[in-house]
Amino acid sequence: MKRPYDTVKRVLDVVLAATGLLLATPVLAAVALAVLVTMGRPVLFRQARPGRHGRLFHLVKFRSMTVGGEAGAPVNDGARLTPFGRWLRTTSLDELPQLWNVLRGEMSLVGPRPLLPSYLPRYTREQLRRHDVRPGITGLQQAYGRNALSWEERFALDVRYVRHRSFALDLRIVLRTVRIVLRREGITAPGVATAREYLGPPALATAVGGRGSAEGGR
């Protein structure tokens, strides 16, 4: 049964996302042009992500990496992330196109971040609860540490949000997110360009092995 909160939140998402896209049109155009000049086409990065109840949708953001690494070199985040792309990520301007995902009903302004489909079978039953709601452009983990947190800490915050979501909590998350973005805190995990791959609980992680994330893993 749908809660009144969920209905009102969806209305607010539509109104705020539409308003944001309209007001941000000059910024979107400027960033798109800069991406085109510095990295070429495509301007937008599209990747399948699991949304509410694990249903896949295509998340969009401004591209921040080259299409491939140097010839003969390992392809990784650090090698592919361009100077302008790094700036886009530190300012979070690469996330602006996701307002379109919000408008389409695939995302919300606030909720657990949509991660990679390959993570789905690695979640514990408790961690899977993060998919009980629409994923968000920002969420509790973004407001309280972002990529500086361990995966266990991040998923615990996601589940906490699902359990205790409210307009008061959403507002607090948005305000803290603004502060963190302005301070450029928690953008990367130690030792990688963005975030390490989630390998699952310890027993599964040992079997899978670790590496850096692909673009958009954050």
Side-chain angles (χ1 to χ4, degrees), residues 18-46:
T19 303
L21 283 170
L22 182 62
L23 295 177
T25 296
V27 177
L28 289 164
V31 173
L33 180 60
V35 171
L36 182 62
V37 169
T38 59
M39 287 178 270
R41 297 180 185 275
V43 169
L44 294 176
F45 173 79
R46 293 179 174 87

Side-chain angles (χ1 to χ4, degrees), residues 1 4 7 20 23 25 46 53 62 75 78 108 111-113 120 125 137 151 171 184 193 208 215:
M1 183 177 179
T7 301
L23 295 177
T25 296
R46 293 179 174 87
H53 305 312
F62 284 119
V75 176
S108 176
R113 283 293 298 165
L120 286 172
R125 185 184 299 273
I137 293 179
W151 281 114
L171 180 59
R184 304 185 182 186
V208 174
E215 169 154 3

